[in-house]
Amino acid sequence: PDGAFYVFPKANKPNFDSVRFAKQLLEQHRVSISPGQAFGDYPAFFRLAVSLPAAQIPNAVKAIGKEIDAWS
């Protein structure tokens, strides 16, 4: 791609740890995100760099949603 689109969502889950979430997402789904702590005191946030080909984005978003729903 010629560029990227960045999103910085907040996971509204108790005790959310974006570092642990990022590792889990990468290991289980091969989806890479940046934990919010990389940008300051934002443990409940994570950054998405949406730079995949358009056909791959829905699968990555579904994996992120699945992991957030399962967060405990």
Side-chain angles (χ1 to χ4, degrees):
D2 295 326
F5 177 72
Y6 298 97
V7 182
F8 199 61
K10 179 180 182 183
N12 290 319
K13 293 287 190 167
N15 303 313
F16 188 81
D17 176 351
S18 62
V19 172
R20 194 174 112 209
F21 181 71
K23 289 178 185 178
Q24 185 175 314
L25 195 61
L26 183 60
E27 290 171 359
Q28 293 181 10
H29 299 281
R30 298 182 46 109
V31 173
S32 180
I33 62 170
S34 298
Q37 286 94 318
F39 304 96
D41 187 22
Y42 301 105
F45 290 79
F46 54 95
R47 188 182 85 163
L48 307 173
V50 184
S51 58
L52 295 170
Q56 293 178 333
I57 293 171
N59 289 335
V61 171
K62 285 178 188 174
I64 292 167
K66 179 181 176 180
E67 290 303 315
I68 287 176
D69 286 344
W71 185 264
S72 57

